[in-house]
Amino acid sequence: EGTLLSPTFGGYTANTEFEFLSRLSNANLPAGSIPYEQYLTHRISALPWDFLDAGYATTAIHPFDGKFWNRSEPYPLMRYIRSITELDFKNPERTPPYISDRQLAKKIIEVAASNRAQRNFIFAVSMQNHGAYYDGATRYSSSTRVSAESDMPQVDAATKDTLSTYATGVRGAVAAFNTIVAPSPRRLMRIL
């Protein structure tokens, strides 16, 4: 529990991830820097290391290409014992073009179940609700989409479509999260 201030919005998720895991700030790096791509070349103190030292199994899950933001290189340096990428999902359910959050939740549960004898630190990065958010009909069918309505004339159909796509993805992320934390009803989130 606590407050987290993200250094990025709408992109560069690897920088937020790096700051969270390493406890280091990107503020002193040149503008546009991506630590995973440019600076992380040796082991550094990071949350996975702390958990590994405390006896946890450490796993990173990113259901996308492991080369994206160069994640496959720094993850072992941060002491993840196991790294799961898009290639480790067999015939995954997709919310085009990405692996669905529901599929990611199943993988998290599978990893935790396979390490029942040991406590787990699992760091997972979702892909389902990554942009672009326009033309949402290619990602979600009309029967599953959250409706976005507005009486304001400046909110055109394209803006409503973008908002609808984003909101539908948020609903999917919350449902996937609830799958992971269930059956503990007090921890369930409700949205939309």
Side-chain angles (χ1 to χ4, degrees), residues 54-81:
Y56 285 69
T58 57
T59 305
I61 305 174
H62 190 266
F64 200 61
D65 186 339
K67 295 175 186 169
F68 188 66
W69 293 128
N70 195 40
R71 280 184 174 93
S72 60
E73 298 295 322
Y75 276 178
L77 299 174
M78 298 173 98
R79 300 297 288 148
Y80 285 111
I81 299 306

Side-chain angles (χ1 to χ4, degrees), residues 100-132:
S100 73
D101 285 348
R102 182 171 39 214
Q103 191 73 52
L104 175 61
K106 288 178 182 177
K107 182 63 79 175
I108 291 168
I109 292 166
E110 175 188 311
V111 168
S114 71
N115 291 331
R116 285 208 188 274
Q118 190 174 14
R119 295 179 296 175
N120 289 282
F121 173 75
I122 301 170
F123 182 78
V125 178
S126 167
M127 286 300 298
Q128 176 177 320
N129 208 27
H130 273 58

Side-chain angles (χ1 to χ4, degrees), residues 82-100:
R82 184 174 179 198
S83 182
I84 297 171
T85 68
E86 182 175 34
L87 298 175
D88 298 301
F89 287 77
K90 305 300 179 220
N91 301 314
E93 172 188 80
R94 290 185 177 272
T95 303
Y98 304 114
I99 291 177
S100 73

Side-chain angles (χ1 to χ4, degrees), residues 156-177:
D156 61 9
T159 302
K160 290 177 188 175
D161 179 65
T162 298
L163 180 58
S164 172
T165 301
Y166 180 77
T168 305
V170 169
R171 183 181 61 194
V174 170
F177 176 80

